[in-house]
Amino acid sequence: MTKPVIWITGASSGIGAATAQKFSKEGFAVILSSRNEGDLEAVKNSCAHPEACAILPLDLADSDSLQGKAAKAISLFGHVDLMFHNGGISQRSLAIETQMEVDRKIMEVNFFGTIALTKAILPHFQQRKSGHFAVTSSLVGIIGSPYRSTYAASKHALHGYFDSLRAEHAIDNVVVTMICPGFIKTNVSVNALTADGKSLNQMDDAQANGMSAEKCATKIYQGIKSKKEEIYIGGKEVMAIYLKRFFPGIFSKILLKAKVR
């Protein structure tokens, strides 16, 4: 029996690596992608079935290369069932201080790179009349918070794009699941860009005390299996979504007082 195939970007660490391990354990063939081939090799060896894992390095900032990467991914196992867009970069800087080239880099990686890869794999899904996009957004893809202006913008953009795509390709049995994590214990804040484009190189306290990547991966697997349109993952910070939705004025006042960095 042919294994279902998941292709994961941002698979070299954190949520991507934990999700690769979870889906491998659940019987999926896994295609691992990120810029760091050495780290991908380590993730492959940590999976339950490394013989059913393949490494495909890519750079989301190099949009012109992604059509070829999609063709290669399809050739590895003959098909792709699930495209997990997890690659991206975060931000820790005030909007007024952030250089435009940093804003552009965040949008290029988080939005345009993801969209280019989507356009590259979508005809394959359309031809097969089957396919699933899972997209790592963030709670700030629904609510904005200080020091994350362009990061939030890139995630908001993903919601708009994939909500439209879901409606356009329901006829092709293409499913879209937006994944909105809160504070997950990964290096996302360590690698976040500051105002001049340098990495923050330190972990936020909220991140350090957040949910484990492994628990997050289990919730991602369950949400994808259930074909949910959106899943919210985290602790009490998830309540901010509902506060923003139903009591926006109160949420804004809380956000003004919050010490979020």
Side-chain angles (χ1 to χ4, degrees):
M1 184 176 177
T2 304
K3 287 177 177 282
V5 180
I6 181 173
W7 183 12
I8 305 174
T9 64
S12 58
S13 64
I15 291 173
T19 303
Q21 292 159 354
K22 174 62 177 176
F23 274 81
S24 177
K25 182 180 178 181
E26 296 295 337
F28 279 69
V30 182
I31 303 171
L32 303 164
S33 289
S34 77
R35 292 180 298 168
N36 194 315
E37 191 167 357
D39 287 350
L40 290 176
E41 190 67 43
V43 174
K44 175 182 176 179
N45 292 333
S46 72
C47 286
H49 301 285
E51 75 284 355
C53 296
I55 291 173
L56 180 58
L58 62 73
D59 183 354
L60 287 170
D62 183 10
S63 294
D64 291 341
S65 70
L66 299 180
Q67 187 72 46
K69 295 295 184 179
K72 176 64 176 177
I74 293 166
S75 73
L76 288 169
F77 296 104
H79 62 100
V80 172
D81 298 285
L82 171 57
M83 175 79 250
F84 182 22
H85 289 303
N86 179 66
I89 192 163
S90 193
Q91 172 194 16
R92 296 295 185 275
S93 59
L94 292 170
I96 195 170
E97 297 175 352
T98 304
Q99 297 174 6
M100 272 301 298
E101 54 263 37
V102 177
D103 294 319
R104 292 184 186 280
K105 181 175 181 178
I106 293 169
M107 291 300 297
E108 188 63 46
V109 173
N110 291 3
F111 182 70
F112 290 111
T114 297
I115 298 318
L117 201 53
T118 296
K119 289 176 180 288
I121 199 73
L122 183 57
H124 176 65
F125 287 173
Q126 191 174 34
Q127 182 181 25
R128 299 182 76 221
K129 294 296 179 184
S130 177
H132 196 145
F133 289 105
V135 186
T136 296
S137 173
S138 169
L139 295 189
V140 297
I142 299 173
I143 57 174
S145 67
Y147 304 99
R148 295 161 175 81
S149 54
T150 305
Y151 177 71
S154 71
K155 298 301 186 178
H156 274 68
L158 288 173
H159 280 264
Y161 186 91
F162 280 98
D163 281 350
S164 296
L165 186 141
R166 181 192 293 114
E168 290 173 358
H169 289 279
I171 193 172
D172 299 315
N173 295 316
V174 172
V175 178
V176 174
T177 298
M178 300 301 296
I179 300 163
C180 303
F183 298 127
I184 310 299
K185 192 174 181 180
T186 71
N187 284 332
V188 65
S189 61
V190 176
N191 298 323
L193 298 185
T194 56
D196 61 0
K198 295 177 182 176
S199 296
L200 182 63
N201 286 323
Q202 66 183 58
M203 185 174 288
D204 294 342
D205 289 342
Q207 221 81 49
N209 295 314
M211 179 184 291
S212 72
E214 290 74 23
K215 185 174 180 180
C216 178
T218 296
K219 290 182 177 294
I220 288 171
Y221 175 78
Q222 292 168 344
I224 289 173
K225 186 178 179 181
S226 300
K227 297 184 178 180
K228 289 187 176 180
E229 291 192 359
E230 287 192 357
I231 53 176
Y232 309 139
I233 303 172
K236 61 183 180 181
E237 69 272 16
V238 171
M239 295 304 297
I241 292 176
Y242 302 101
L243 193 60
K244 167 74 171 178
R245 184 177 299 164
F246 298 112
F247 305 101
I250 294 174
F251 174 78
S252 292
K253 290 178 181 178
I254 292 172
L255 197 62
L256 286 173
K257 297 178 182 178
K259 295 180 179 179
V260 180
R261 187 69 193 248

